Amino acid sequence: MPTYNVAGVPVDFPFEAYPVQLVYMEKVVIALERGENALLESPTGTGKTLCLLCAALGWRRAHIERHRATTPVAPPPGGLREANWVEDLAASIGADRSGAGAVTASEGRSPRIIYASRTHSQLQQVVRELRRTVHRPLVCMLGSREQFCCHPEVRKQAGTALNAACQALTAANECSFYRRLQDEKRKQGGSLPHPQASEPEASRAVPDIEDFKSHAERRLEICPFYLSRELQASSDVLFLPYNYLLDPKSRKALNICLQRDVLIFDEAHNVDKVCADAASLNLTTIEIAGAVRELDRCIDGARNRGGGADADAVDDDGDVSNVSNSRSLLGAASRDTRGTARGFASFLVSP
Ligand code: SF4
């Protein structure tokens, strides 16, 4: 596998790179070195995903090595062997991002690569590309309960019904997969290490969403949905759909820290559509019909002021009443969509 010197950073590529691929990777590395944003475009079929992964992971490896070389040796935290503690610490970077064991960034951990795409099937494709590289980082993929739930009854449901069923079970501590996760966390002192953190990097597999789910469900008997949320903080590469990053509520719930991480928006021309969809509201025909009925009553009431079947729909001052459904519908719509839109806009302007 050839190694290229790309803007001073050694980058491994799975085959002889075309000039256009080298230029692309150079732009990625320069942007990362400078801590700048880059908007990169390349024709279909030129291996953008592979270039992005190789350049970003090559830069991350070089960044860790540089930092390790310039970090003064200090006494080992917690019982690591004296002679090898720097190596042990480097090997444990993925396992401990709390700040006590990380050696790279000034805020206590090495930069994580957060790779966002529109759909999970696109992310599956990215995982396949990652397997072609020399890199075997600690990977985590975030998804919804619908994708991850393994409870035999709850997983038969969909959407909000599934979410509500899960929330009810976890609040009552009645899901065995969730309980086992909590038990494991307690045993490990409050947070779970990445299951692959103890494996040598060269022998690690790169799991896709199905591998991760079946490992959590069958081998660990732990809820994959909550496990992925636990592991996202200790992963080297985090795969997720755009909306987890763009929605401030999701970011907060996931405790995603953007200060030190490398954000990659794949196929970023889709971001505006995702933002528009998330800041939009779907009204059912039943809700619209109910609102129309209420407003028709108000119109009739205005016509019949002083008497008639719908006269009570308008009071003496001409104000409408009995339109609570329409009002609450509009109120919720404007509140939710305004809040979401504001959150998205603030992220795009200043992440
Ligand atoms: S805790 Fe996990 S396995 Fe249990 S119901 Fe919720 S999503 Fe499903």
Side-chain angles (χ1 to χ4, degrees), residues 1-256:
M1 191 169 288
T3 303
Y4 294 92
N5 182 334
V6 179
V9 169
V11 172
D12 296 302
F13 203 68
F15 44 81
E16 292 293 329
Y18 295 117
V20 67
Q21 292 174 321
L22 290 172
V23 171
Y24 192 94
M25 290 194 284
E26 186 183 32
K27 301 292 179 204
V28 175
V29 171
I30 289 173
L32 292 173
E33 287 284 75
R34 292 180 182 164
E36 291 176 346
N37 295 324
L39 185 61
L40 301 172
E41 207 175 14
S42 188
T44 306
T46 49
K48 287 188 288 291
T49 305
L50 196 57
C51 289
L52 263 174
L53 289 171
C54 290
L57 284 162
W59 173 83
R60 184 179 183 275
R61 182 181 56 194
H63 178 82
I64 290 171
E65 284 168 4
R66 275 198 304 251
H67 194 93
R68 191 187 303 162
T70 56
T71 301
V73 176
L80 290 177
R81 295 185 313 280
E82 182 75 25
N84 291 328
W85 82 269
V86 173
E87 286 75 12
D88 287 344
L89 208 49
S92 72
I93 282 169
D96 181 3
R97 303 303 181 80
S98 62
V103 291
T104 54
S106 59
E107 290 190 8
R109 69 172 173 84
S110 48
R112 183 175 43 168
I113 296 183
I114 302 183
Y115 199 111
S117 197
R118 191 164 62 91
T119 62
H120 270 98
S121 58
Q122 285 172 336
L123 289 174
Q124 295 283 72
Q125 180 60 35
V126 181
V127 169
R128 282 195 283 276
E129 293 293 291
L130 177 56
R131 287 174 180 156
R132 299 172 70 194
T133 75
V134 290
H135 301 280
R136 291 294 177 267
L138 298 174
V139 167
C140 176
M141 191 177 287
L142 294 182
S144 62
R145 285 185 179 86
E146 218 158 328
Q147 281 152 325
F148 278 133
C149 181
C150 53
H151 188 283
E153 293 307 316
V154 177
R155 73 175 167 198
K156 289 180 191 157
Q157 305 185 47
T160 47
L162 188 152
N163 287 343
C166 167
Q167 279 158 0
L169 279 187
T170 51
N173 210 16
E174 282 176 3
C175 173
S176 61
F177 295 97
Y178 182 74
R179 262 202 318 271
R180 216 159 281 120
L181 178 112
Q182 298 302 334
D183 290 346
E184 270 310 306
K185 266 176 76 176
R186 263 192 299 278
K187 273 192 229 157
Q188 303 277 351
S191 64
L192 290 176
H194 196 290
Q196 293 180 298
S198 55
E199 294 173 24
E201 180 170 347
S203 59
R204 276 183 208 144
V206 180
D208 64 12
I209 195 165
E210 291 307 325
D211 300 329
F212 175 77
K213 187 178 165 194
S214 88
H215 184 80
E217 179 185 350
R218 305 215 176 105
R219 302 259 320 262
L220 307 175
E221 298 182 333
I222 279 179
C223 166
F225 174 76
Y226 284 104
L227 180 62
S228 68
R229 272 145 177 77
E230 285 292 322
L231 300 185
Q232 58 90 12
S234 61
S235 58
D236 301 325
V237 177
L238 176 62
F239 292 113
L240 37 65
Y242 297 143
N243 49 326
Y244 284 83
L245 263 188
L246 295 172
D247 183 347
K249 278 186 276 180
S250 298
R251 278 209 307 280
K252 195 165 170 215
L254 293 168
N255 204 16
I256 289 178

